[in-house]
Amino acid sequence: MSKPQEIARGLTERRATLGEAVPVLRSAGLQAASDAALLAVPGFQRLHAERWDPPIPELETLAALPVGSFGHAYAGYMEHYRLSPDFFPIQTRLGADATPTQYAVHRLNKSHDFIHVLGAYETSDTDEVAIQSFVFGMAPVALATFLAEAAVHPDIRQARYKHLRDIYAGQIQAEDFERGAVASALLGERLETLWEVPLEELRQRLGIAARAPEYLGRGGENSCGGFTAMPFFTATGAT
């Protein structure tokens, strides 16, 4: 276990909030430890070296993929919740000087809705805290960096970002933290090449455990996007 993840687990056990975790994980020493931990994830070092950043296909293209595939499920999820990519207000870095952690911030920002689908997280305010806890388990310093930068972005006061502003007061969820901690393989995957892979097969490949039944399909208010709908996921975690 890396030093950042050890500290992150301690914060989770203390029932800290995401906001409380940010300053703890932003020290220069932990940035360096985060870089080393990320480069140790199979596949991530090459992604970082390439600054790999392919476009996301049109949703109509993904919707035409076989039912049950990752791409089909992603397209359905985005349509169900009326979402579009690149929602969050943050300037990510992809230049030659981008550190592994900075590149991971970009990848996690771009992959946010992919992770919603892979982890069976709805867009409700409650599940937004849960998915951020999942990401905290995977890459705690990268998440702390994202939250620190989003907090000072000039657009964060917009109404559409209400539940992002509320995230900082959200208590890190232990079950979701642990799900993320064992799914670090996700960070080294070229997810944009895996659209045709069956969703359940991809979850197993990435070590993403099924959500507990009491949490799965947990709908509720989405104060950030301003749209609330019935849950997308069924009792099996698929659509």
Side-chain angles (χ1 to χ4, degrees), residues 179-230:
R179 287 183 86 212
V182 299
S184 62
L186 188 156
L187 294 163
E189 287 284 354
R190 299 174 188 261
L191 294 173
E192 294 91 334
T193 69
L194 303 175
W195 299 119
E196 297 187 26
V197 177
L199 178 58
E200 287 304 319
E201 178 183 319
L202 187 54
R203 286 169 171 160
Q204 292 176 18
R205 171 171 162 176
L206 298 175
I208 300 175
R211 293 194 79 184
E214 61 266 31
Y215 300 129
L216 187 63
R218 183 170 54 182
E221 181 181 5
N222 173 2
S223 63
C224 200
F227 178 67
T228 301
M230 294 296 292

Side-chain angles (χ1 to χ4, degrees), residues 46-54 93-99 103:
R46 187 164 181 177
L47 293 182
H48 173 249
E50 296 173 13
R51 302 303 191 270
W52 194 71
D53 186 41
R93 289 176 288 280
L94 280 174
D97 61 343
T99 67
Y103 176 69

Side-chain angles (χ1 to χ4, degrees), residues 105-127:
V105 171
H106 170 79
R107 285 299 294 162
L108 290 168
N109 181 51
K110 182 179 180 182
S111 303
H112 182 78
D113 291 314
F114 304 170
I115 299 171
H116 267 284
V117 173
L118 291 166
Y121 291 107
E122 308 293 344
T123 66
S124 64
D125 294 353
T126 300
D127 262 13

Side-chain angles (χ1 to χ4, degrees), residues 84 87 157-165 223-226:
S84 60
F87 175 76
R157 302 313 306 174
Q158 294 179 12
R160 69 197 299 255
Y161 295 122
K162 180 184 183 299
H163 84 181
L164 174 57
R165 296 194 301 272
S223 63
C224 200

